[in-house]
Amino acid sequence: SSPLRISSITPGTWHTIRLEIVGTTIRALIDGTLVTSASDTSSPIASGTVGLSSNNASVRYDDVRVTAP
């Protein structure tokens, strides 16, 4: 699939990004607004590690937290 493009992201502005993964449901929120959701019934995420990256952009991350639901 192609990358999600969010036109309202302004360069140089901090945003709060939240990913929620519960069972087979994956939700992505930016500044509290749901921007996409999906269901992965073929290989649900039960455990693992977290990774952050960007494509063709300079990104800074701050206050990264991982919590259980």
Side-chain angles (χ1 to χ4, degrees):
S1 70
S2 62
L4 178 65
R5 302 211 185 276
I6 307 296
S7 60
S8 63
I9 296 295
T10 304
T13 303
W14 284 99
H15 295 277
T16 299
I17 299 173
R18 178 182 180 117
L19 297 176
E20 300 175 346
I21 302 169
V22 179
T24 60
T25 302
I26 304 165
R27 295 171 17 117
L29 299 93
I30 297 178
D31 296 328
T33 300
L34 180 67
V35 294
T36 191
S37 64
S39 180
D40 186 358
T41 57
S42 64
S43 60
I45 301 169
S47 64
T49 59
V50 173
L52 303 172
S53 68
S54 70
N55 241 352
N56 298 320
S58 175
V59 178
R60 292 187 293 169
Y61 301 100
D62 189 27
D63 299 326
V64 175
R65 293 183 285 162
V66 178
T67 61

